[in-house]
Amino acid sequence: MESPLFLPVLATCRLLLAWVHFPVPDGLLIDHQLTSPLTSYFRLKEGLWLYHHGVDPYVGGILKHSPLFLSLFSTVPLGRVAWALSDIVGAWALVRIWRSRQQLGQSRRDGLVGTAYLLNPYLLLPSLASSTSTFENAAVLLTLMFAAEGRPSLALLALALSTHLSLTTLLLVVPVLMLLATSPTSQLASPRLFGESYWKVLRYASEFVVYWFVLVCAASIMAGGVWNWMRESWGASLILPDLTPNPGFWWYFFTEMFDHFRPFFLMVFSTHLVIYVMPVCIKFQHDALYAAFLLLGILGAFKPYLTLADPGLFLSMFAVFPEIYPYLRHAIVTALLHAHASLLLPLFHALWVIEGRGNANFYYAASLVMGIAGGAGIVDACFAGMRIAVGSVPEAERGKWEVIQE
């Protein structure tokens, strides 16, 4: 992994995997762990068929994707190579984020960082299942890459695109704006108050709103001049119209919910996501990139329509922060919880959906294990980021985790 050719070879192998056109099992393409109503390629294809035949694809509640996906796939014939290229772009962006954080042109760790993304099964399997979450993750990483490299216009445009494709990415707006006004280098060991110009942050926020509004208008034009796509696409994350099972918490809870209480608990669950933003950004105001990393972990645990690609992005980003490794207290427990969940989810899914020998409680129990694994990773990463400042690891142990730089 230390060879400079390792990452290009790995990217080439990923392209060949898409180019060979080996048969992907149908079960993988409709697996509830890999795709959701908001990322399903089957739903997108059905929406494309309606769009090409002059029927509003957002009538009927089938299509939940952004009109930008609809326009892209109806204009350019995209196959598996598009998902492979998106994976490669995501890995490249992750490596660039690592280099910006370390202020390096190139390092021996680049291959390891890229491998953490390209060979992550939580990310590879949704990509093979043609889930559009692959494109959403690439957009998020491009946002962080441009912000870490100090390229505000590109970062804000990528942020507007990522929030347009997935509304829950709005949680990253505050840390990205802070990152644009500060340095991406690690400041965890020397916390300080956010002392940058608030006028600069306000100017970046205004520019983001302009980009976002332009994308909204463009999407409405692509959707045929109608605005009902907002309810079907963005509204799905707020009102949860489709209770298709997934590895998250929301679907089972609202399956058992009385209609009378549904609006209240929708508000509670949505607010629960938002309340983390300010505490995390205030506590880690000295390291906005780390704050964005933690918020990605929160999305990977509590997102309304969760797939494995969401916690997969959070786990891959651990490779960018090697300075926290000696401060992690429960890394083995978190890894075992993820291994346990990754075995239980397909097993209980097959028993319930395919064999018909189980019930929803089986699958939801595995979803709870996945949620506990995600929560354990977030808590451990949060405390590790705070413990660095007090230097609670002995010097002898800390030396084992020194970052090799060139």
Side-chain angles (χ1 to χ4, degrees), residues 38-346:
L38 274 64
T39 63
S40 171
Y41 184 54
F42 277 135
R43 288 178 177 249
L44 180 58
K45 287 198 298 184
E46 185 166 352
L48 287 171
W49 188 91
L50 295 173
Y51 182 73
H52 289 151
H53 287 78
V55 180
D56 186 354
Y58 291 99
V59 173
I62 295 297
L63 185 63
K64 305 293 183 184
H65 295 74
S66 164
L68 297 183
F69 276 129
L70 197 65
S71 178
L72 175 64
F73 280 84
S74 63
T75 305
V76 183
L78 298 177
R80 295 184 192 174
V81 175
W83 273 266
L85 290 174
S86 183
D87 282 337
I88 294 171
V89 168
W92 170 73
L94 194 63
V95 171
R96 295 281 292 269
I97 293 170
W98 154 255
R99 292 177 179 175
S100 297
R101 187 167 178 82
Q102 300 298 323
Q103 298 295 299
L104 296 172
Q106 189 175 8
S107 75
R108 297 169 61 183
R109 193 182 173 85
D110 290 352
L112 177 61
V113 174
T115 301
Y117 190 88
L118 286 176
L119 295 186
N120 186 339
Y122 282 3
L123 298 173
L124 179 60
L125 290 176
S127 180
L128 295 178
S130 300
S131 172
T132 56
S133 58
T134 302
F135 301 105
E136 296 171 6
N137 285 346
V140 169
L141 288 175
L142 286 174
T143 299
L144 296 177
M145 182 195 77
F146 289 133
E149 293 179 348
R151 302 161 76 179
S153 295
L154 289 175
L156 295 171
L157 180 59
L159 178 61
L161 177 62
S162 61
T163 56
H164 184 88
L165 299 180
S166 178
L167 186 65
T168 51
T169 314
L170 283 171
L171 269 65
L172 300 180
V173 170
V174 176
V176 169
L177 294 177
M178 294 172 59
L179 180 58
L180 286 171
T182 57
S183 170
T185 56
S186 179
Q187 305 292 332
L188 294 174
S190 55
R192 54 183 174 78
L193 294 177
F194 181 77
E196 303 299 324
S197 172
Y198 291 97
W199 288 109
K200 181 188 296 185
V201 175
L202 184 60
R203 179 171 61 85
Y204 290 149
S206 303
E207 187 176 351
F208 163 74
V209 171
V210 171
Y211 290 145
W212 186 82
F213 181 74
V214 170
L215 286 177
V216 169
C217 294
S220 298
I221 294 173
M222 294 171 186
V226 296
W227 298 83
N228 60 337
W229 65 269
M230 289 187 180
R231 175 180 174 84
E232 297 299 325
S233 179
W234 294 349
S237 299
L238 301 175
I239 61 178
L240 211 72
D242 193 318
L243 296 178
T244 300
N246 59 72
F249 295 125
W250 290 49
W251 69 273
Y252 186 84
F253 189 87
F254 285 96
T255 299
E256 305 295 328
M257 176 64 59
F258 290 110
D259 290 341
H260 180 71
F261 299 106
R262 183 181 172 89
F264 171 75
F265 281 99
L266 280 172
M267 181 271 293
V268 171
F269 273 55
S270 300
T271 306
H272 175 254
L273 274 176
V274 178
I275 61 174
Y276 292 102
V277 176
M278 294 314 298
V280 169
C281 290
I282 291 173
K283 187 63 181 178
F284 293 98
Q285 58 186 289
H286 51 284
D287 200 325
L289 183 59
Y290 199 76
F293 163 65
L294 292 177
L295 290 175
L296 283 174
I298 290 168
L299 283 177
F302 302 115
K303 197 173 181 179
Y305 287 98
L306 191 74
T307 65
L308 293 183
D310 299 303
L313 179 59
F314 173 66
L315 294 176
S316 292
M317 285 199 68
F318 266 98
V320 180
F321 308 99
E323 65 269 26
I324 69 171
Y325 293 173
Y327 299 89
L328 296 172
R329 287 189 171 180
H330 312 294
I332 295 178
V333 174
T334 302
L336 291 177
L337 283 170
H338 274 286
H340 191 54
S342 63
L343 293 175
L344 288 180
L345 280 170

Side-chain angles (χ1 to χ4, degrees), residues 376-393:
I378 297 166
V379 171
D380 208 6
C382 185
F383 275 98
M386 292 188 291
R387 290 173 63 207
I388 293 180
V390 298
S392 56
V393 174

